[in-house]
């Protein structure tokens, strides 16, 4: 099955780099990869010198991408609520949402900008008081994704807010980041670093 990476962006940032490193890791290990990005996107440019089995699918603003049934599509968790605008899915589409920042889960709340600036205890109290219904819907969505193996976290700090808010109590699935550089965390073979 092919793995499609969906994070079209021209920005240079941590999230883009994480997706680019993971895509490079899959390609370098012989996986069939599809990259969906702008023609001048950061991830496409990052992978321009990578040799291996991958296909580039150009993305333009406002486009709706059809997801073939033989593709496993990976995108960031906070993009869950924009799916209908960007992807054409079928009942058999296979999706994985990757939480790569502790604040990813806050994107689904009404008071996102507040929650990203206050301690998790205040967020838990405030969301339970003022967003109880929304919080229950978010928890149901995360549970459904988790039950179908469609939700993963980069590491424990990215899982912690979901757990602390009572949104997901199950043992998380981790898709950690690959490390290319030689050093104490890597043997230089493109090892994976991360996890709980």
């Amino acid at each position: 099955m092919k793995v499609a990476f969906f994070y079209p962006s021209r920005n240079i940032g941590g999230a883009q780099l994480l997706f680019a490193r993971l895509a490079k890791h899959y390609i370098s290990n012989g996986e069939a990869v599809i990259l969906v990005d702008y023609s001048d996107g950061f991830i496409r440019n990052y992978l321009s010198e990578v040799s291996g089995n991958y296909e580039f699918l150009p993305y333009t603003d406002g486009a709706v991408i059809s997801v073939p049934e033989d593709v496993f599509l990976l995108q960031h968790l906070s993009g869950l609520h924009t799916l209908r605008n960007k992807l054409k899915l079928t009942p058999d589409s296979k999706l994985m949402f990757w939480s790569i920042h502790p604040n990813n889960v806050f994107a689904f709340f009404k008071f996102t900008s507040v929650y990203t600036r206050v301690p998790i205890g205040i967020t838990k109290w405030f969301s339970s008081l003022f967003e109880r219904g929304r919080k229950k819907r978010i928890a149901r969505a995360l549970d459904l994704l988790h039950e179908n193996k469609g939700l993963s976290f980069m590491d424990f700090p990215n899982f912690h807010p979901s757990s602390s808010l009572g949104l997901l109590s199950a043992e998380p699935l981790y898709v950690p980041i690959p490390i290319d550089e030689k050093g104490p965390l890597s043997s230089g073979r493109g090892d994976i670093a991360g996890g709980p």
Side-chain angles (χ1 to χ4, degrees):
M1 182 176 291
K2 295 179 180 178
V3 180
F5 288 83
F6 185 77
Y7 197 100
S9 176
R10 295 184 179 94
N11 297 329
I12 300 172
Q16 292 85 350
L17 185 59
L18 291 175
F19 269 78
R21 283 182 173 174
L22 189 59
K24 181 180 177 183
H25 176 78
Y26 276 102
I27 294 165
S28 300
N29 284 280
E31 300 291 340
V33 167
I34 297 174
L35 172 65
V36 182
D37 197 4
Y38 295 109
S39 295
D40 58 347
F42 172 80
I43 300 173
R44 182 177 189 213
N45 289 332
Y46 185 93
L47 297 176
S48 62
E49 297 181 11
V50 175
S51 59
N53 184 20
Y54 81 96
E55 173 187 346
F56 171 67
L57 203 67
Y59 180 80
T60 55
D61 288 325
V64 178
I65 302 293
S66 292
V67 181
E69 293 179 3
D70 65 337
V71 167
F72 186 83
L73 188 134
L74 181 75
Q75 72 166 3
H76 61 99
L77 177 60
S78 55
L80 176 62
H81 60 294
T82 63
L83 269 183
R84 292 181 182 176
N85 301 330
K86 297 180 179 178
L87 301 175
K88 183 178 180 182
L89 305 172
T90 71
D92 295 317
S93 295
K94 296 161 188 69
L95 306 173
M96 169 69 78
F97 295 92
W98 191 28
S99 176
I100 54 176
H101 193 283
N103 291 345
N104 277 167
V105 75
F106 298 146
F108 309 123
F109 286 95
K110 186 176 181 181
F111 298 101
T112 301
S113 60
V114 174
Y115 300 154
T116 58
R117 295 189 312 241
V118 299
I120 195 72
I122 294 174
T123 299
K124 183 177 181 180
W125 172 81
F126 195 90
S127 62
S128 295
L129 190 61
F130 295 105
E131 298 195 69
R132 184 175 299 162
R134 184 184 299 260
K135 190 173 179 179
K136 286 181 181 177
R137 290 191 301 274
I138 294 168
R140 280 197 302 268
L142 295 185
D143 278 338
L144 183 62
L145 286 172
H146 182 268
E147 288 169 12
N148 289 283
K149 296 184 175 22
L151 175 62
S152 63
F153 297 85
M154 184 178 74
D155 55 16
F156 180 77
N158 288 295
F159 169 68
H160 180 66
S162 297
S163 174
S164 296
L165 292 174
L167 301 174
L168 188 64
S169 58
E171 187 66 27
L173 170 66
Y174 290 107
V175 176
I177 59 167
I179 303 294
D180 290 332
E181 296 79 17
K182 291 184 179 180
L185 296 178
S186 172
S187 65
R189 298 188 310 263
D191 292 347
I192 297 285

